[in-house]
Amino acid sequence: MTANAGGPRTVSKAETDDHRSEPTEDDAPLGSPRVADPVIKSRDLDVYYGDEQALHGIQMEIPERKVTALIGPSGCGKSTFLRSINRMNDLIDIARVEGDLRFHGKNVYDEDVDPVALRRKIGMVFQKPNPFPKSIYDNVAYGLRVQGKDDDVDEQVHTALERAALLDEVEDQLDSSGLDLSGGQQQRLCIARAIAPDPEVILMDEPASALDPVATSKIEDLVEELAEEYTVVIVTHNMQQAARISDKTAVFLTGGHLVEFDDTNKIFENPESERVEDYITGKFG
Amino acid sequence: MSTSNPFAEGTEDIARKRLIGRVFVAICFASTLVGIVALVALIVDVLYESWGWVTWEFLTYPPSQVIENFLPGGRGAGIYPAIVGSIFLIALTAVFTVFLGVGAAVYLEEYAGDNWLTSFIEANIANLAGVPSIVYGLLGLAIFVRGIQLGSSLIAGALTLTLLILPIVIVSTQEALRAVPDSQRQAAYGVGATQWQVIRDVVLPRALPGIMTGTILSLSRAIGETAPILMVGAATSLFVAPDGLTSPFSAMPMMIFEWATLPEPEFQHVAAAGIVVLLTILLLMNAIAIFIRNRYDPRS
């Protein structure tokens, strides 16, 4: 299929979509953005860095216990969106958020929401593995300790390492430094640290971009497994990765717009937007 | 062999640039040498002057105005009260500086908003680091000795030295805090730590070697300062070591200064002996700083 052939069809489909879905907002993405029982629901979410607007009216619903991938070229706002879910953007002085981001129906930007409590429900894994310069054990136990969940730390640490597919490799060296592990192991250690306090959602910001192909494929397998217990939202630069591991894919394009959101198969095989198709087939980005 | 050399072109130009490079290296090496030669000359001179004068008696006896007392077979005379005075002084200064300096730096770096007031305060702290030490001596005299009536006491001296090195400690601590990677802070925030937990568990441990190095190097500057404690009124002819916060005190640089100004030429040797003791303590402190930096670096 070529972009030209996709063009006219896209427009007409988009129009019918607009008539079908209830509140027709300009910023509503193409595709089928509605999911049954969303855990996270974003409505008209704008994010600014100083005077610059990084996200424009994001409308998105994230399904429970599925992998939702956020893809798009550099600077498209996909990481900004991820960080606005657990309010990590609060740590940036000049960042400002407007609109709604609901977690189980509660707007996380309401005044009575404590971002620390929010982050205890929504864990995060970062682009570069960032273990603490502590032992493997203490790395995994850290979240449990700060959250005061320190009964049976041993057991919880073991469970988390097992779920992160790292236990077999480190079982007899739990006291050695987390920094002595390889990059891929460090990233799985960070995943274990994120899931140890048992959050509901795990946000992953390009978790495999700093890793070699073997370590990457281990992380990918792990992400799919994690989705059995957790809602996973993953930002990735790598479209094949999104296609392989995600159930839903959101495509952000330049300027901070969510252009299309749908089942991953649909996005990769038959996207509605011509620009999304161009992006996915590698014509730009 | 008649094959032409394909690299022949431009060899002269390369040779000339290489020569400039060699001259540059020679200048850099000479600059390095000046510093090292000066230091070696100083140490050799002091060691030569003090040879035979640094005895056990010198370390354990109070000073004397009579040169014979410093000689073998004399009554015994030395620098003991000043050693104890300097150590107490520096220990007290360390306690005050660590609390005030680290506290101020953590506030400025981690809590204070990024606004003009913070920038103004930071610029002023940096400026204070350049104020001559005699000015801090006058300040100490006005506030601690006269103002709050501490007199010429150990604690007045320690507070004055604290003021002197506080700006340097604040600035070096801020730098140590700034060097903690943001990814470490984010990792802790990401698992639901509060700001206090992030600072206690992640930022301070990671910055500790830098904080300790900056603090100990500042303290070794303070232990050698003469002007401020002179203004505060440290004694030179003190025959007992200080035994409390409000005791009068002497300190090593004061003693050395005193001996260097005495008319009998033999006192030059006594002053040199005092310098050797002071330098030894300084080097020990710097060695401790290096040891702490390596030992408590969480990354190693």
Side-chain angles (χ1 to χ4, degrees), chain B residues 102-215:
Chain B
V102 175
V106 166
Y107 178 76
L108 287 171
E109 203 53 41
E110 304 289 329
Y111 290 101
D114 202 3
N115 53 36
W116 69 269
L117 184 64
T118 313
S119 317
F120 179 75
I121 292 174
E122 284 179 351
N124 275 290
I125 289 173
N127 286 336
L128 284 175
V131 171
S133 57
I134 188 90
V135 177
Y136 284 102
L138 285 165
L139 192 67
L141 179 66
I143 298 178
F144 302 125
V145 179
R146 304 237 172 97
I148 55 175
Q149 298 282 314
L150 291 172
S152 296
S153 60
L154 196 57
I155 190 161
L159 288 170
T160 306
L161 289 179
T162 302
L163 286 187
L164 171 72
I165 61 170
L166 201 52
I168 309 170
V169 172
I170 293 174
V171 170
S172 64
T173 303
Q174 275 185 287
E175 263 156 34
L177 295 172
R178 226 172 283 148
V180 177
D182 254 355
S183 64
Q184 290 283 306
R185 291 188 175 83
Q186 296 199 350
Y189 280 118
V191 290
T194 61
Q195 189 171 13
W196 155 240
Q197 287 172 322
V198 173
I199 291 172
R200 184 195 60 189
D201 302 335
V202 175
V203 178
L204 284 179
R206 185 83 178 222
L208 189 68
I211 295 173
M212 295 302 282
T213 311
T215 308

Side-chain angles (χ1 to χ4, degrees), chain B residues 39 212-223 278-294:
Chain B
L39 187 66
M212 295 302 282
T213 311
T215 308
I216 293 175
L217 291 179
S218 304
L219 288 171
S220 41
R221 181 190 162 191
I223 201 174
L278 180 59
L279 279 181
T280 309
I281 291 179
L282 266 173
L283 288 177
L284 273 176
M285 287 179 70
N286 289 358
I288 292 171
I290 293 168
F291 174 77
I292 287 178
R293 190 174 55 203
N294 296 337

Side-chain angles (χ1 to χ4, degrees), chain A residues 7-23:
Chain A
R9 178 189 47 78
T10 301
V11 172
S12 61
K13 179 101 186 301
E15 279 168 353
T16 47
D17 250 17
D18 272 351
H19 292 299
R20 200 179 51 210
S21 49
E22 345 134 343

